Amino acid sequence: MALLKSNKVISCLGNISPALGVLSSRNSSWWGGVQMGPPDPILGVSEAFKKDTNPKKMNLGVGAYRDDQGKPFVLSCVRKAEAIIAAKQLDKEYLGIGGLAEFTKCCAQLALGNDNEVLKSGRNITVQTISGTGSLRIGANFLSRFHGGPRDVYLPKPSWGNHTPIFRDAGMQLKAYRYYDPSTCGFDFKGALDDISKIPEQSVIMLHACAHNPTGVDPKPEQWKEISDLVKKRNLLVFFDMAYQGFASGDIDRDAWAVRYFIEQGHNILLSQSFAKNMGLYGERVGGFTVVCGDVDEAKRVESQLKILIRPIYSNPPMNGARIASTILSTPDLRSLWLEEVHGMANRIIKMREQLVAGLQKEGSTHNWQHVIDQIGMFCFTGLKPDQVERLTKEFSVYMTKDGRISMAGVSSGNVGYLAHGIHAVTK
């Protein structure tokens, strides 16, 4: 009976005014004013690649390692660590806000070195994050809330595309310093020093620890030393992004050299780490964020505030990838195997660079392609212009971003000759 009366009321209300129905309809479309956002440039490349029917097509846009057959590669040390973890039949309880303690310890040791004074004195705090992106965002939020200096973050020009929205969406302001020299396809050392010397004191400067993304151009040790001296003179807060430790040169200590040198010189840095590339744990989302503090007490206070920042975002990080990474790093046999495998991945990339240049020379190219060999890491800034990239895509089905950046991981012994042929055709 109550339901019948309710239906009568609804029926009656429906006859009161047609305008009420229109208003209701309008109110149901809460997001009518939302505009279509621009497509992600890298995902756009992948979508176009998928639609291409050319059997020789190449996708050089996505930054994920492939073996020499062009297949996704799972490291043997990862499979063995997974088996060890599975055999223990561990629970699936929540991790603490700061993550898996065994992982954060190994994470800091890998970056800073086991004998680092910072670790011995306990004046660092490392929290587990959702890969490198999550680490950067936690760092950006921390800066936004607690950094007492200017709200400016100075990025190298160019920098990883996601750096800008990460810091911008956290309320920081983005500025740039010169880094890449298009005329040499190398490091603009003079321009970088000139711009850094003018950065206002207490500003934040972002540095890529190794395998600069997207250019593959890194400073040499002597250049790092001058940058360190200048940054200290300007009293700038250093934020290192280290997404490729081990993957760049094949040597974990060489790739972490700049980070360790800056700390040795007295810089209390911020550091983001990712285990996506160097352990192939892309989908596991494993990362760390470290703050080097003045003393143990400061580290404890910073830790408390990092937990307060993390709690309303994702409460606590996922455990599986952290268990895999910590098992590898803390088990001597697995660690040795990992070092062999990451060295192998880096070497394959280096060989593809050498073979690409050799192929271009064989094609008869008269251009200087030495920068392809000199650059390091997953990415190569080829120096190709947008119109040349467009031709390479249309005529040869070779897909890359318009700035001429290619992922060397997509190059194999089976297609490097075809790539060299295409590049020569559009640059001769």
Side-chain angles (χ1 to χ4, degrees), residues 76-122:
S76 297
C77 62
V78 169
R79 292 297 193 207
K80 291 182 178 183
E82 288 177 324
I84 290 171
I85 294 164
K88 291 181 179 179
Q89 296 188 323
L90 300 170
D91 62 48
K92 300 292 184 181
E93 294 293 301
Y94 290 124
L95 291 178
I97 297 173
L100 186 68
E102 297 94 322
F103 169 76
T104 56
K105 179 182 177 182
C106 290
C107 186
Q109 288 175 338
L110 179 66
L112 308 187
N114 290 342
D115 297 326
N116 197 293
E117 172 274 325
V118 169
L119 299 180
K120 289 181 177 179
S121 64

Tab-separated table of all heavy atoms in Angstrom, residues 76-122:
chain	number	residue	atom	x	y	z
A	76	SER	N	65.693	-13.905	-15.099
A	76	SER	CA	65.724	-15.194	-14.405
A	76	SER	C	65.749	-15.008	-12.895
A	76	SER	O	65.129	-15.779	-12.153
A	76	SER	CB	66.960	-16.001	-14.842
A	76	SER	OG	66.908	-16.314	-16.206
A	77	CYS	N	66.463	-13.962	-12.439
A	77	CYS	CA	66.526	-13.714	-10.996
A	77	CYS	C	65.155	-13.367	-10.433
A	77	CYS	O	64.839	-13.704	-9.285
A	77	CYS	CB	67.538	-12.615	-10.670
A	77	CYS	SG	67.155	-11.003	-11.373
A	78	VAL	N	64.319	-12.740	-11.251
A	78	VAL	CA	62.953	-12.411	-10.826
A	78	VAL	C	62.135	-13.693	-10.689
A	78	VAL	O	61.417	-13.886	-9.694
A	78	VAL	CB	62.293	-11.438	-11.821
A	78	VAL	CG1	60.791	-11.310	-11.549
A	78	VAL	CG2	62.959	-10.068	-11.752
A	79	ARG	N	62.229	-14.585	-11.659
A	79	ARG	CA	61.491	-15.850	-11.592
A	79	ARG	C	61.921	-16.669	-10.368
A	79	ARG	O	61.087	-17.270	-9.684
A	79	ARG	CB	61.741	-16.667	-12.860
A	79	ARG	CG	61.143	-16.086	-14.128
A	79	ARG	CD	59.633	-16.029	-14.060
A	79	ARG	NE	59.044	-15.754	-15.365
A	79	ARG	CZ	57.877	-15.168	-15.534
A	79	ARG	NH1	57.170	-14.786	-14.478
A	79	ARG	NH2	57.390	-14.966	-16.745
A	80	LYS	N	63.215	-16.681	-10.096
A	80	LYS	CA	63.716	-17.440	-8.947
A	80	LYS	C	63.272	-16.800	-7.631
A	80	LYS	O	62.926	-17.513	-6.676
A	80	LYS	CB	65.238	-17.534	-9.015
A	80	LYS	CG	65.723	-18.421	-10.153
A	80	LYS	CD	67.237	-18.562	-10.182
A	80	LYS	CE	67.663	-19.507	-11.309
A	80	LYS	NZ	69.119	-19.742	-11.334
A	81	ALA	N	63.263	-15.475	-7.574
A	81	ALA	CA	62.790	-14.797	-6.368
A	81	ALA	C	61.313	-15.078	-6.143
A	81	ALA	O	60.872	-15.303	-5.002
A	81	ALA	CB	63.033	-13.289	-6.496
A	82	GLU	N	60.534	-15.076	-7.225
A	82	GLU	CA	59.103	-15.385	-7.113
A	82	GLU	C	58.891	-16.794	-6.556
A	82	GLU	O	57.980	-17.010	-5.742
A	82	GLU	CB	58.436	-15.254	-8.484
A	82	GLU	CG	58.285	-13.812	-8.960
A	82	GLU	CD	57.700	-13.714	-10.349
A	82	GLU	OE1	58.020	-14.586	-11.197
A	82	GLU	OE2	56.922	-12.777	-10.603
A	83	ALA	N	59.717	-17.735	-6.991
A	83	ALA	CA	59.590	-19.115	-6.512
A	83	ALA	C	59.914	-19.206	-5.020
A	83	ALA	O	59.232	-19.912	-4.260
A	83	ALA	CB	60.525	-20.032	-7.307
A	84	ILE	N	60.937	-18.486	-4.591
A	84	ILE	CA	61.305	-18.464	-3.168
A	84	ILE	C	60.171	-17.897	-2.332
A	84	ILE	O	59.802	-18.430	-1.277
A	84	ILE	CB	62.591	-17.642	-2.964
A	84	ILE	CG1	63.793	-18.386	-3.559
A	84	ILE	CG2	62.828	-17.357	-1.478
A	84	ILE	CD1	65.067	-17.558	-3.602
A	85	ILE	N	59.591	-16.801	-2.824
A	85	ILE	CA	58.496	-16.137	-2.098
A	85	ILE	C	57.270	-17.049	-2.038
A	85	ILE	O	56.629	-17.195	-0.989
A	85	ILE	CB	58.148	-14.788	-2.772
A	85	ILE	CG1	59.320	-13.817	-2.628
A	85	ILE	CG2	56.881	-14.190	-2.173
A	85	ILE	CD1	59.247	-12.620	-3.560
A	86	ALA	N	56.946	-17.689	-3.162
A	86	ALA	CA	55.776	-18.581	-3.209
A	86	ALA	C	55.935	-19.751	-2.237
A	86	ALA	O	54.969	-20.164	-1.581
A	86	ALA	CB	55.570	-19.095	-4.628
A	87	ALA	N	57.158	-20.268	-2.138
A	87	ALA	CA	57.408	-21.419	-1.255
A	87	ALA	C	57.220	-21.070	0.218
A	87	ALA	O	56.902	-21.937	1.034
A	87	ALA	CB	58.829	-21.943	-1.484
A	88	LYS	N	57.381	-19.811	0.553
A	88	LYS	CA	57.229	-19.381	1.957
A	88	LYS	C	55.764	-19.242	2.374
A	88	LYS	O	55.462	-19.142	3.557
A	88	LYS	CB	57.937	-18.047	2.172
A	88	LYS	CG	59.455	-18.130	2.096
A	88	LYS	CD	60.089	-16.764	2.333
A	88	LYS	CE	61.607	-16.835	2.274
A	88	LYS	NZ	62.228	-15.487	2.481
A	89	GLN	N	54.857	-19.224	1.385
A	89	GLN	CA	53.414	-19.091	1.645
A	89	GLN	C	53.142	-17.945	2.617
A	89	GLN	O	52.478	-18.108	3.650
A	89	GLN	CB	52.847	-20.410	2.182
A	89	GLN	CG	52.937	-21.556	1.159
A	89	GLN	CD	52.202	-22.795	1.607
A	89	GLN	OE1	52.195	-23.143	2.786
A	89	GLN	NE2	51.558	-23.479	0.664
A	90	LEU	N	53.627	-16.766	2.255
A	90	LEU	CA	53.476	-15.579	3.099
A	90	LEU	C	52.046	-15.049	3.039
A	90	LEU	O	51.291	-15.332	2.104
A	90	LEU	CB	54.457	-14.495	2.635
A	90	LEU	CG	55.938	-14.880	2.691
A	90	LEU	CD1	56.789	-13.819	1.978
A	90	LEU	CD2	56.402	-15.035	4.135
A	91	ASP	N	51.693	-14.272	4.045
A	91	ASP	CA	50.339	-13.704	4.075
A	91	ASP	C	50.240	-12.493	3.146
A	91	ASP	O	51.226	-12.054	2.545
A	91	ASP	CB	49.941	-13.315	5.505
A	91	ASP	CG	50.847	-12.240	6.102
A	91	ASP	OD1	51.098	-11.233	5.426
A	91	ASP	OD2	51.298	-12.411	7.257
A	92	LYS	N	49.039	-11.955	3.036
A	92	LYS	CA	48.772	-10.798	2.186
A	92	LYS	C	48.281	-9.605	3.012
A	92	LYS	O	47.487	-8.780	2.538
A	92	LYS	CB	47.717	-11.152	1.127
A	92	LYS	CG	48.116	-12.289	0.197
A	92	LYS	CD	49.264	-11.898	-0.715
A	92	LYS	CE	49.577	-13.006	-1.712
A	92	LYS	NZ	50.716	-12.650	-2.597
A	93	GLU	N	48.764	-9.503	4.221
A	93	GLU	CA	48.374	-8.387	5.078
A	93	GLU	C	48.919	-7.066	4.539
A	93	GLU	O	49.864	-7.041	3.742
A	93	GLU	CB	48.913	-8.619	6.501
A	93	GLU	CG	48.290	-9.811	7.214
A	93	GLU	CD	46.820	-9.601	7.515
A	93	GLU	OE1	46.485	-8.635	8.228
A	93	GLU	OE2	46.003	-10.403	7.019
A	94	TYR	N	48.329	-5.961	5.016
A	94	TYR	CA	48.817	-4.644	4.613
A	94	TYR	C	50.268	-4.433	5.030
A	94	TYR	O	50.671	-4.839	6.123
A	94	TYR	CB	48.003	-3.536	5.292
A	94	TYR	CG	46.580	-3.376	4.814
A	94	TYR	CD1	45.517	-3.437	5.714
A	94	TYR	CD2	46.298	-3.124	3.476
A	94	TYR	CE1	44.209	-3.259	5.303
A	94	TYR	CE2	44.993	-2.944	3.046
A	94	TYR	CZ	43.950	-3.012	3.966
A	94	TYR	OH	42.657	-2.834	3.553
A	95	LEU	N	51.023	-3.758	4.175
A	95	LEU	CA	52.327	-3.257	4.594
A	95	LEU	C	52.120	-2.000	5.423
A	95	LEU	O	51.033	-1.405	5.422
A	95	LEU	CB	53.183	-2.913	3.368
A	95	LEU	CG	53.680	-4.076	2.493
A	95	LEU	CD1	54.455	-3.528	1.311
A	95	LEU	CD2	54.555	-5.021	3.301
A	96	GLY	N	53.165	-1.557	6.127
A	96	GLY	CA	53.098	-0.268	6.803
A	96	GLY	C	53.043	0.851	5.776
A	96	GLY	O	53.296	0.644	4.581
A	97	ILE	N	52.733	2.041	6.219
A	97	ILE	CA	52.612	3.186	5.307
A	97	ILE	C	53.902	3.403	4.528
A	97	ILE	O	53.886	3.716	3.340
A	97	ILE	CB	52.228	4.459	6.093
A	97	ILE	CG1	50.862	4.286	6.756
A	97	ILE	CG2	52.212	5.680	5.171
A	97	ILE	CD1	50.483	5.424	7.690
A	98	GLY	N	55.027	3.211	5.187
A	98	GLY	CA	56.318	3.428	4.541
A	98	GLY	C	56.804	2.272	3.705
A	98	GLY	O	57.845	2.365	3.052
A	99	GLY	N	56.064	1.169	3.701
A	99	GLY	CA	56.416	0.042	2.855
A	99	GLY	C	57.131	-1.076	3.578
A	99	GLY	O	57.188	-1.126	4.816
A	100	LEU	N	57.686	-1.997	2.799
A	100	LEU	CA	58.390	-3.172	3.312
A	100	LEU	C	59.767	-2.754	3.818
A	100	LEU	O	60.596	-2.269	3.040
A	100	LEU	CB	58.507	-4.208	2.192
A	100	LEU	CG	59.093	-5.577	2.542
A	100	LEU	CD1	58.144	-6.353	3.453
A	100	LEU	CD2	59.373	-6.370	1.258
A	101	ALA	N	60.013	-2.976	5.099
A	101	ALA	CA	61.260	-2.516	5.708
A	101	ALA	C	62.497	-3.113	5.043
A	101	ALA	O	63.501	-2.420	4.821
A	101	ALA	CB	61.265	-2.831	7.198
A	102	GLU	N	62.436	-4.403	4.714
A	102	GLU	CA	63.576	-5.040	4.059
A	102	GLU	C	63.871	-4.387	2.716
A	102	GLU	O	65.027	-4.217	2.322
A	102	GLU	CB	63.315	-6.536	3.834
A	102	GLU	CG	63.128	-7.344	5.114
A	102	GLU	CD	61.656	-7.478	5.506
A	102	GLU	OE1	60.890	-6.495	5.325
A	102	GLU	OE2	61.267	-8.557	5.979
A	103	PHE	N	62.808	-4.008	2.017
A	103	PHE	CA	62.976	-3.356	0.716
A	103	PHE	C	63.580	-1.966	0.848
A	103	PHE	O	64.511	-1.614	0.112
A	103	PHE	CB	61.649	-3.272	-0.041
A	103	PHE	CG	61.730	-2.377	-1.255
A	103	PHE	CD1	62.360	-2.824	-2.407
A	103	PHE	CD2	61.214	-1.088	-1.224
A	103	PHE	CE1	62.469	-1.997	-3.516
A	103	PHE	CE2	61.312	-0.257	-2.329
A	103	PHE	CZ	61.937	-0.714	-3.483
A	104	THR	N	63.046	-1.148	1.735
A	104	THR	CA	63.542	0.231	1.851
A	104	THR	C	65.015	0.249	2.263
A	104	THR	O	65.781	1.105	1.816
A	104	THR	CB	62.696	1.056	2.832
A	104	THR	OG1	62.653	0.403	4.110
A	104	THR	CG2	61.272	1.219	2.312
A	105	LYS	N	65.414	-0.726	3.078
A	105	LYS	CA	66.828	-0.824	3.468
A	105	LYS	C	67.693	-1.154	2.250
A	105	LYS	O	68.710	-0.494	1.995
A	105	LYS	CB	67.003	-1.907	4.543
A	105	LYS	CG	68.449	-2.097	4.990
A	105	LYS	CD	68.564	-3.228	6.022
A	105	LYS	CE	70.019	-3.463	6.422
A	105	LYS	NZ	70.146	-4.580	7.393
A	106	CYS	N	67.282	-2.166	1.481
A	106	CYS	CA	68.028	-2.562	0.286
A	106	CYS	C	68.030	-1.453	-0.766
A	106	CYS	O	69.034	-1.241	-1.465
A	106	CYS	CB	67.423	-3.828	-0.325
A	106	CYS	SG	67.662	-5.333	0.651
A	107	CYS	N	66.921	-0.769	-0.883
A	107	CYS	CA	66.763	0.317	-1.847
A	107	CYS	C	67.782	1.424	-1.579
A	107	CYS	O	68.487	1.881	-2.494
A	107	CYS	CB	65.338	0.854	-1.749
A	107	CYS	SG	64.901	2.094	-2.966
A	108	ALA	N	67.890	1.839	-0.325
A	108	ALA	CA	68.833	2.896	0.055
A	108	ALA	C	70.271	2.429	-0.117
A	108	ALA	O	71.136	3.185	-0.589
A	108	ALA	CB	68.571	3.331	1.489
A	109	GLN	N	70.545	1.179	0.246
A	109	GLN	CA	71.904	0.653	0.108
A	109	GLN	C	72.326	0.583	-1.353
A	109	GLN	O	73.477	0.872	-1.687
A	109	GLN	CB	71.998	-0.732	0.749
A	109	GLN	CG	71.954	-0.724	2.266
A	109	GLN	CD	71.940	-2.131	2.853
A	109	GLN	OE1	71.569	-3.092	2.181
A	109	GLN	NE2	72.341	-2.246	4.109
A	110	LEU	N	71.410	0.193	-2.215
A	110	LEU	CA	71.722	0.109	-3.642
A	110	LEU	C	72.102	1.480	-4.194
A	110	LEU	O	73.071	1.610	-4.944
A	110	LEU	CB	70.524	-0.448	-4.408
A	110	LEU	CG	70.700	-0.578	-5.928
A	110	LEU	CD1	71.760	-1.615	-6.268
A	110	LEU	CD2	69.364	-0.928	-6.592
A	111	ALA	N	71.355	2.495	-3.817
A	111	ALA	CA	71.595	3.844	-4.340
A	111	ALA	C	72.840	4.486	-3.753
A	111	ALA	O	73.668	5.053	-4.474
A	111	ALA	CB	70.378	4.730	-4.080
A	112	LEU	N	72.974	4.414	-2.442
A	112	LEU	CA	74.023	5.168	-1.755
A	112	LEU	C	75.302	4.368	-1.548
A	112	LEU	O	76.370	4.966	-1.325
A	112	LEU	CB	73.505	5.670	-0.403
A	112	LEU	CG	72.181	6.456	-0.414
A	112	LEU	CD1	71.903	7.031	0.959
A	112	LEU	CD2	72.189	7.543	-1.468
A	113	GLY	N	75.216	3.046	-1.593
A	113	GLY	CA	76.372	2.200	-1.305
A	113	GLY	C	76.345	1.760	0.150
A	113	GLY	O	76.013	2.559	1.037
A	114	ASN	N	76.673	0.512	0.401
A	114	ASN	CA	76.550	-0.054	1.753
A	114	ASN	C	77.314	0.720	2.815
A	114	ASN	O	76.890	0.804	3.971
A	114	ASN	CB	77.034	-1.510	1.763
A	114	ASN	CG	76.083	-2.436	1.015
A	114	ASN	OD1	74.927	-2.085	0.777
A	114	ASN	ND2	76.575	-3.599	0.636
A	115	ASP	N	78.457	1.287	2.453
A	115	ASP	CA	79.319	1.945	3.438
A	115	ASP	C	79.105	3.450	3.519
A	115	ASP	O	79.903	4.164	4.133
A	115	ASP	CB	80.802	1.657	3.113
A	115	ASP	CG	81.130	0.179	3.200
A	115	ASP	OD1	80.536	-0.498	4.061
A	115	ASP	OD2	81.969	-0.294	2.413
A	116	ASN	N	78.047	3.939	2.924
A	116	ASN	CA	77.815	5.380	2.916
A	116	ASN	C	77.598	5.912	4.329
A	116	ASN	O	76.861	5.321	5.129
A	116	ASN	CB	76.597	5.708	2.047
A	116	ASN	CG	76.539	7.181	1.670
A	116	ASN	OD1	76.350	8.042	2.512
A	116	ASN	ND2	76.709	7.448	0.386
A	117	GLU	N	78.224	7.025	4.622
A	117	GLU	CA	78.116	7.646	5.956
A	117	GLU	C	76.673	7.961	6.323
A	117	GLU	O	76.285	7.868	7.493
A	117	GLU	CB	78.968	8.934	5.974
A	117	GLU	CG	78.817	9.792	7.210
A	117	GLU	CD	77.650	10.772	7.124
A	117	GLU	OE1	77.376	11.274	6.011
A	117	GLU	OE2	77.019	11.029	8.173
A	118	VAL	N	75.875	8.324	5.336
A	118	VAL	CA	74.471	8.660	5.588
A	118	VAL	C	73.732	7.463	6.183
A	118	VAL	O	72.956	7.608	7.143
A	118	VAL	CB	73.792	9.123	4.281
A	118	VAL	CG1	72.271	9.215	4.467
A	118	VAL	CG2	74.345	10.466	3.834
A	119	LEU	N	73.981	6.264	5.629
A	119	LEU	CA	73.325	5.066	6.130
A	119	LEU	C	73.854	4.677	7.504
A	119	LEU	O	73.087	4.265	8.381
A	119	LEU	CB	73.526	3.913	5.147
A	119	LEU	CG	72.955	4.107	3.735
A	119	LEU	CD1	73.238	2.879	2.878
A	119	LEU	CD2	71.459	4.372	3.776
A	120	LYS	N	75.148	4.801	7.680
A	120	LYS	CA	75.744	4.447	8.975
A	120	LYS	C	75.250	5.347	10.100
A	120	LYS	O	75.025	4.891	11.222
A	120	LYS	CB	77.268	4.530	8.879
A	120	LYS	CG	77.893	3.424	8.037
A	120	LYS	CD	79.405	3.551	7.998
A	120	LYS	CE	80.043	2.405	7.228
A	120	LYS	NZ	81.522	2.524	7.168
A	121	SER	N	75.045	6.618	9.797
A	121	SER	CA	74.597	7.570	10.826
A	121	SER	C	73.083	7.575	10.984
A	121	SER	O	72.557	8.144	11.943
A	121	SER	CB	75.084	8.978	10.480
A	121	SER	OG	74.492	9.427	9.263
A	122	GLY	N	72.362	6.967	10.028
A	122	GLY	CA	70.904	6.893	10.109
A	122	GLY	C	70.200	8.203	9.824
A	122	GLY	O	69.057	8.412	10.249
